[in-house]
Amino acid sequence: MRPPRNLFILFLAVVALPAATLLLLGVRLLEQDRALARQRQTEILEQACDRGVRALEQNLAILTKRLADPSWAPADIPGDSVYVVLRPDRVQATPPGRLPYYPSGQMLREPPAEPFGELESQEFRAQNLEKSLEISRKLAASPDALIQAGALLRQARILRKLGRAAEALQVYTTLSRVTSVSIGGMPADLLARRARCALLAEQSRQSELRQEAAAIAADMRAGRWQLDRASFRHVAGQVETWLGSELRASNEEEALAAAVAWLHQKWTSTPPDRFPSTGIQFQPFGSVPITILWASGGGRVAALVAGPRYLRTHWLAEVQKAASPARAYFAANGGKPVAGDAPPGRRGDPRRVQRTAADTGLPWSVVTAGAGPEEESGELAARRRILLAGFGALLVLISAGSYLIWRSVNRELAVARLQSDFVAAVSHEFRTPLTALRQFNDLLGEEDDVPPEKRRTYYQAQTRATERLHRLVESLLDFGRMEAGGRPYRFQRLDAAALARDVVEEFRGEVTGRGFAVQCSVDSGEYLVDADSEALSRALWNLLDNGAKYSGESRTLELAVGRADSAVAIAVRDHGTGIPASEQKRIFQKFVRGEAAKSQGIKGTGIGLTMVRHIVQAHGGEVRVESEVGQGSAFTITLPGVTSDK
Ligand code: ADP
């Protein structure tokens, strides 16, 4: 039988709803836990960010102080940075070759014009080249480097006009040894070397040309001359044509030069008292973001012009050290990282804290970011595991509880069903003999003169019906007493074989009319037992009665008394329907009837075998069944035997 529908609803209300509520509460708890952990992480990141900013500010303060000190020079400058000192008359860069060009050319002295008046009037007006050459030679011997340089330049020019190229080359070589003089804004030595190259090119002396042009390129790269942007471009252009290869500054070098130019322009265009004594500026030059940190005073500005690598390896490293274990990076105003990498994550992620440029006075935002979700704190993970285990246990408990409830309810329902079946069966059992009694009563009442033969027959039939009713009532009362545990047993020593014979005899009288042959066989020997004769008779009667009821077509029953070891065994055997193995255990339970018995409408109440087992157990014995469907059944009672001398 299945539990009714509303039982499931009840189950839902009692078990499933509280379980669901608990589960929901658990989930909320976990969520709260996670929020708390996130908050804690944010706090950690806030502190890390502050530590990082403080460390960086200290570092920058020290560096600014050093920049202000004219005796200080940086020990090592990374490849994408430069240390510059700006003065009104010159710009000094460390390391020397780092800047391809400067805000202004080097301020060198130019040769005066008037010593060369005579020479030039001979050269141009009188067209007397020999005379002018002679004057130039005299002037070139001057101890004054300026006059010497001016004379050498003109001498080479005149020689070229005269077509004496070899000599002109010689003179240019001499001029290339003159330093700290500039001619027309170009250092004299560079001018001389360029002129030599031009001459070599004219004469198609390729290998010499390439060698000398390469030497100029190398010196330019090494920062030998401080050229302004236009001069640099011009010379570089020439050298490139002579060499056939490019002499370009890298993006980084261009950016550094542009940054220095920016600072120089700012400095020279601001009145000295208004120019900030220290400052830091971050902006991209070309495609390269550059940071400029400067200190000014005493007619000079010293600056560290730093590229992205410097930012990363010096300042970010400093911040990272202080902010550890949080990860740090610098971001531009738009949030784009300018040094270090932003960890992947959504915008507005709580696991990210920043101090903006406005907060700190630094030119970029300092950001600290937390570990990803996969690295979340071990404590939280442990707590979650415990909670999940708790839920698992709860679920198992609820399931087990539900199953037990379901099973016991099912059982109760089955018992209720059995009981109602029992009541129906008992009523039915009563009805048959009562109907018979009423019939004979009616017959006796209606017929005034009943012949003695007929009267006897009626009488015998009535006696049988009464007997049956009596047995039924007795057996029900007995069953009731047994169930209540109040059935008294009066044990006495008796012969089990004799008792069995008597029961068979009596039973024969009951069933011979229906064509049954009941055999009773007793093995030779004594079968003394201590037993309640009435109870034991009832047990045997019940077994014989069942044998007859479930005999089907068969009409033979056997009762055998024998020994099994020291015990007395009484077996009742039929050749009827038999009992399926699945039912053999259950049929001893109260009210349980076999499926075949019910479906074939065989009368019965389901208490017969229960009483048999009860009685046998009260005697310290046992009852067992062997049966095969279609072959018949054998019920064997074994009772502890006693010897006569006992
Ligand atoms: P009932 O009043 O139904 O006979 P019992 O307790 O005596 O109640 O027997 C329980 C069930 O055991 C029966 O309904 C029947 O299915 C089965 N049974 C008992 N004895 C036999 C038998 N000799 N042959 C076949 N089935 C039997």
Side-chain angles (χ1 to χ4, degrees), residues 149-171:
L152 285 172
L153 183 76
R154 287 169 175 84
Q155 194 179 348
R157 187 173 67 206
I158 298 161
L159 284 170
R160 283 176 72 179
K161 281 185 188 163
L162 288 168
R164 287 150 66 175
E167 283 170 74
L169 279 172
Q170 204 59 52
V171 174

Side-chain angles (χ1 to χ4, degrees), residues 486-557:
R487 162 75 160 92
Y489 288 97
R490 276 181 293 277
F491 293 102
Q492 62 190 71
R493 188 144 307 173
L494 50 86
D495 181 7
L499 183 132
R501 271 195 210 96
D502 290 348
V503 175
V504 168
E505 198 56 45
E506 197 184 345
F507 189 70
R508 269 198 198 108
E510 178 89 3
V511 295
T512 348
R514 287 190 268 150
F516 276 98
V518 188
Q519 287 166 15
C520 180
S521 63
V522 179
D523 287 354
S524 62
E526 251 188 340
Y527 297 100
L528 289 182
V529 288
D530 285 332
D532 179 321
S533 70
E534 195 194 320
L536 193 56
S537 301
R538 180 183 295 286
L540 292 179
W541 180 280
N542 281 358
L543 292 180
L544 286 166
D545 194 36
N546 276 350
K549 274 201 300 194
Y550 304 110
S551 262
E553 301 296 305
S554 155
R555 282 293 174 269
T556 51
L557 292 174

Side-chain angles (χ1 to χ4, degrees), residues 546 549-550 574 577 579 587 592-594 597 604-606 608-609 633 635:
N546 276 350
K549 274 201 300 194
Y550 304 110
D574 65 67
T577 54
I579 307 160
I587 50 175
V592 172
R593 305 203 63 214
T605 52
L609 287 180
S633 316
F635 286 84

